Amino acid sequence: MLCRLGGGRLRPLPGLQPGAWGPRFAPVPTRGATPSVPPARAVASVSAVNPGDAGGWYEALAASAPVRGAEDMLLAAHGVTGLPWWGSILLTTVALRGAVTLPLAAYQHYILAKVENLKPEIQNIAQHLNHEVAVRAKQLGWSKRVARFTYLKNMQRLVSELYVRDNCHPFKATVLVWIQLPMWIFMSVALRNFSTGATHSEAGFSVQEQLATGGVLWIPDLTALDSTWILPICIGAINLVIVEIVALQKVGMSRFQTGVTHFVRGISVLMIPIAATVPSSLVLYWFCSSFMGLSQNLLLRSPRFRQFCRIPLTKGDSDTPYKDLFAAFYAKYISRK
């Protein structure tokens, strides 16, 4: 028996041939280092608690090398730019988002676009393979369970070969999450260390004291809570908008995808009361990070930017993505009766 793989080329199908190919997929019988610090306002990052004394996971995290690196980076940005602390936090967030997460997000879209373009070929292979397995099962008297196992085993192998051929395994699209989430955690813990007085400058001035006078507008004290709840509500709203943009982009979501979307919506709402109970320095960072995430999401829908990043065209791409997004949002949430 033969199976079609890409470009009309036929190749022997393991598991469905007698002789040399047969034993390979024979049916299974059924049976039950710390960065340097600038001289101006230079700092020595000091951990708040010795993890050996406290023994808690958070204390160990707060004293870890990645958090100390985040502290050094924030203090370096503050010392080099001379900006007030609110400006230093915003500048650092924008720089991290632009230099780290934006390229990774573009790479994620690149991989997903290549996987999307493989779907017609995968469907064609599945159709031919299903026919070959059905014929072979009838000839050899396989049970439904054995036939199903043989089909899935061969289909998995053939799809993996396609991913290797086009260098687009879907797992590569998860690199963004494995980088962005730890970075967000380390920055948040570093800012909390600052706000609780865990770090001091070489001149002996507490970074906590500097944050207390380094705020802006209705949050002059970045060590205090945002009693107005303006930033926490903005964080929740922006995250919900991001979730809806992603959801509107997908058509015919599975039950699992729908469940994940609802879960993320719940997390976005839960972030509002959480943000209202932490120092404003963290909330300001979270707000700026979410806003940059929204901007990044919209930018990656631009045909020109996608072309600049060499993201392959897919069947679902549109020449007017923003107009289509607004129309979908209007139809789902405004004009719905």
Side-chain angles (χ1 to χ4, degrees):
M1 296 294 177
L2 299 176
C3 179
R4 191 178 303 275
L5 176 59
R9 180 166 54 90
L10 296 177
R11 57 168 295 172
L13 178 63
L16 303 181
Q17 289 281 351
W21 290 98
R24 186 179 176 189
F25 289 106
V28 178
T30 57
R31 60 167 62 181
T34 310
S36 59
V37 182
R41 299 185 189 179
V43 298
S45 180
V46 181
S47 302
V49 184
N50 188 332
D53 297 333
W57 65 268
Y58 181 82
E59 287 76 10
L61 175 63
S64 65
V67 172
R68 290 199 300 268
E71 293 175 357
D72 290 338
M73 180 174 56
L74 285 164
L75 289 160
H78 180 64
V80 170
T81 63
L83 292 171
W85 268 107
W86 68 267
S88 299
I89 293 173
L90 293 182
L91 178 64
T92 304
T93 307
V94 171
L96 285 175
R97 277 285 191 168
V100 179
T101 61
L102 180 58
L104 290 177
Y107 178 71
Q108 180 188 59
H109 280 249
Y110 172 81
I111 294 295
L112 294 178
K114 296 186 75 172
V115 171
E116 179 72 20
N117 289 335
L118 280 178
K119 283 185 177 180
E121 191 171 353
I122 292 175
Q123 292 173 355
N124 186 44
I125 292 175
Q127 182 180 358
H128 285 81
L129 179 60
N130 188 54
H131 174 72
E132 299 287 350
V133 170
V135 172
R136 195 64 176 167
K138 187 175 181 180
Q139 292 176 348
L140 300 179
W142 293 348
S143 66
K144 290 184 178 180
R145 180 179 178 183
V146 173
R148 183 66 177 170
F149 174 82
T150 304
Y151 169 82
L152 293 176
K153 189 71 175 178
N154 282 273
M155 191 65 196
Q156 182 181 16
R157 179 183 58 81
L158 292 170
V159 171
S160 296
E161 289 178 0
L162 290 179
Y163 289 154
V164 172
R165 185 195 71 186
D166 289 4
N167 192 23
C168 63
H169 196 285
F171 183 78
K172 293 182 178 181
T174 65
V175 174
L176 174 64
V177 177
W178 300 115
I179 298 297
Q180 180 174 320
L181 183 58
M183 185 175 68
W184 184 86
I185 293 174
F186 297 148
M187 288 288 293
S188 298
V189 176
L191 286 169
R192 189 182 184 280
N193 283 349
F194 287 168
S195 300
T196 56
T199 306
H200 298 268
S201 68
E202 289 182 345
F205 296 103
S206 170
V207 178
Q208 182 184 29
E209 295 175 359
Q210 299 175 14
L211 286 172
T213 58
V216 65
L217 299 177
W218 66 90
I219 47 170
D221 184 357
L222 293 178
T223 65
L225 309 182
D226 182 3
S227 58
T228 66
W229 281 54
I230 294 177
L231 282 181
I233 292 175
C234 288
I235 292 172
I238 292 175
N239 289 334
L240 283 174
V241 170
I242 295 175
V243 174
E244 298 311 313
I245 288 176
V246 175
L248 290 173
Q249 194 174 6
K250 297 179 179 178
V251 180
M253 290 193 300
S254 64
R255 293 182 61 182
F256 175 77
Q257 290 175 324
T258 303
V260 171
T261 300
H262 290 324
F263 174 77
V264 178
R265 286 192 183 111
I267 295 296
S268 300
V269 175
L270 184 62
M271 283 296 295
I272 298 176
I274 293 178
T277 60
V278 298
S280 296
S281 58
L282 274 77
V283 185
L284 183 62
Y285 166 65
W286 292 352
F287 168 77
C288 186
S289 180
S290 296
F291 183 80
M292 289 297 296
L294 175 60
S295 303
Q296 173 181 292
N297 195 290
L298 293 174
L299 178 63
L300 285 168
R301 297 175 70 93
S302 168
R304 290 186 177 181
F305 187 76
R306 293 176 69 88
Q307 184 179 9
F308 173 78
C309 296
R310 299 183 179 180
I311 300 174
L313 290 173
T314 64
K315 185 178 179 180
D317 285 348
S318 170
D319 294 332
T320 57
Y322 303 115
K323 182 179 179 180
D324 296 343
L325 178 62
F326 177 79
F329 186 87
Y330 182 85
K332 184 175 181 179
Y333 299 104
I334 300 179
S335 66
R336 184 177 59 181
K337 296 182 180 179

